[in-house]
Amino acid sequence: MSLASPIAFDYSWSGETNYLALHDLQLTDGLAFLENREPRRILDLRNKMTFAPRGARIEGWSVLSGTRNSYTALFFQTDLLQTELGRNAPCGPANPALYFSDPALLFAMQKLRGALLAPDGAEPTYVETLALVCVLELGRLNRVVDYRDQPSQGGLSRRVEVSIRAYIRDNLHTSITLEELARIAGLSRFHFIRAFKTSFGTTPHQFLIRQRVTRATELLVHSTFSLLEIAEAAGFTSQPQFTSSFQKATGMPPGKFRQYLK
């Protein structure tokens, strides 16, 4: 799909299918959120890819540059792939990934894009075959991940990770304590901090700040709440803490961010 340039827009998507996209975009500004991942600001998105499994949410805002911009999106259902690919079909959920690179998958997606843009039109069987190759390459990337309820070495189990994410999401407006999270995991505070960092790649405190910034961004985009109301709804202890944390994560204070969207 080609996009007019220059243009500014915000977006939000969560679907009933898996989503894989190849970007050919150059931005002058923007911020993207994928599930509970850290917000990403990358302006040169040429040959970058994004994957969101079914139900995952992608949202953010972009300001396109004056150059030509486009993206190629592939939507697929895992259960239908079982029929086509049998035992080679990707099994189990895959981790969301925002703006990533992989040579083999990139090559397959570029081939798919070229087929779709062919002057004489795309030959259906060829396009379908290329799409299956893309999914197989994506499955190769995820095959090294064990999705069973087993902890990474020294980390939390998948079940506990899911419980921790859900608890934080549902109670983000409150003052979530380390004791509460450690109790959910059934660990002492000391062992919980170590296991959490192994699983999430950051400390519980920093993870909470990121989730609060993400919630605040959603409210800045989709509500008319005051900055103080947004700070409280996102669980910040004060508006100054909200402003400082938001600017550190996004590069601009929340007031300026909201003005930019208008």
Side-chain angles (χ1 to χ4, degrees):
M1 176 180 290
S2 296
L3 300 173
S5 303
I7 188 175
F9 58 93
D10 61 87
Y11 54 88
S12 179
W13 182 88
S14 180
E16 292 301 314
T17 62
N18 300 286
Y19 168 85
L20 175 64
L22 169 61
H23 308 292
D24 187 14
L25 304 168
Q26 289 182 275
L27 313 179
T28 58
D29 207 351
L31 197 65
F33 300 85
L34 175 55
E35 287 295 279
N36 293 316
R37 269 54 179 176
E38 186 176 359
R40 300 291 303 275
R41 169 179 275 133
I42 300 178
L43 301 185
D44 188 351
L45 297 180
R46 290 172 295 181
N47 294 329
K48 297 294 185 182
M49 292 173 288
T50 292
F51 173 68
R54 185 179 69 175
R57 179 172 293 279
I58 305 172
E59 54 192 334
W61 56 279
S62 298
V63 183
L64 300 179
S65 69
T67 61
R68 180 180 178 182
N69 292 282
S70 66
Y71 70 94
T72 303
L74 173 61
F75 302 87
F76 63 94
Q77 296 181 354
T78 305
D79 54 350
L80 295 179
L81 291 173
Q82 300 292 335
T83 302
E84 296 289 339
L85 302 176
R87 63 181 298 179
N88 292 320
C91 54
N95 286 331
L98 186 63
Y99 303 157
F100 70 96
S101 298
D102 176 76
L105 179 56
L106 174 61
F107 179 77
M109 287 293 289
Q110 288 174 331
K111 292 280 288 184
L112 177 61
R113 179 176 61 190
L116 293 172
L117 295 176
D120 298 332
E123 202 284 312
T125 302
Y126 181 53
V127 170
E128 182 178 347
T129 300
L130 288 175
L132 289 175
V133 171
C134 292
V135 174
L136 282 171
E137 289 293 351
L138 179 65
R140 174 186 55 80
L141 290 177
N142 288 292
R143 202 165 288 138
V144 297
V145 181
D146 183 0
Y147 295 106
R148 296 170 296 175
D149 185 29
Q150 296 293 328
S152 55
Q153 187 174 2
L156 302 170
S157 72
R158 304 300 180 194
R159 177 183 57 79
V160 171
E161 285 184 21
V162 170
S163 297
I164 292 292
R165 289 183 186 276
Y167 184 84
I168 290 175
R169 181 185 64 245
D170 295 340
N171 296 277
L172 200 56
H173 60 289
T174 68
S175 177
I176 299 173
T177 66
L178 184 60
E179 288 80 2
E180 291 174 294
L181 299 179
R183 185 166 55 250
I184 293 172
L187 298 171
S188 68
R189 291 187 302 171
F190 174 76
H191 286 98
F192 173 72
I193 291 173
R194 295 181 62 182
F196 187 97
K197 190 168 184 180
T198 298
S199 292
F200 289 85
T202 188
T203 65
H205 173 72
Q206 288 300 320
F207 185 83
L208 276 171
I209 292 296
R210 292 174 185 173
Q211 303 317 300
R212 298 192 195 284
V213 169
T214 299
R215 177 70 59 82
T217 302
E218 294 172 351
L219 294 172
L220 285 168
V221 172
H222 301 295
S223 80
T224 58
F225 291 171
S226 68
L227 296 184
L228 178 59
E229 290 173 324
I230 290 175
E232 293 174 347
F236 288 102
T237 57
S238 65
Q239 187 172 334
Q241 186 204 25
F242 167 42
T243 300
S244 175
S245 299
F246 190 91
Q247 182 164 359
K248 184 177 180 179
T250 68
M252 68 175 69
K256 183 178 179 181
F257 176 85
R258 170 170 273 175
Q259 291 176 356
Y260 196 87
L261 295 175
K262 295 180 178 179

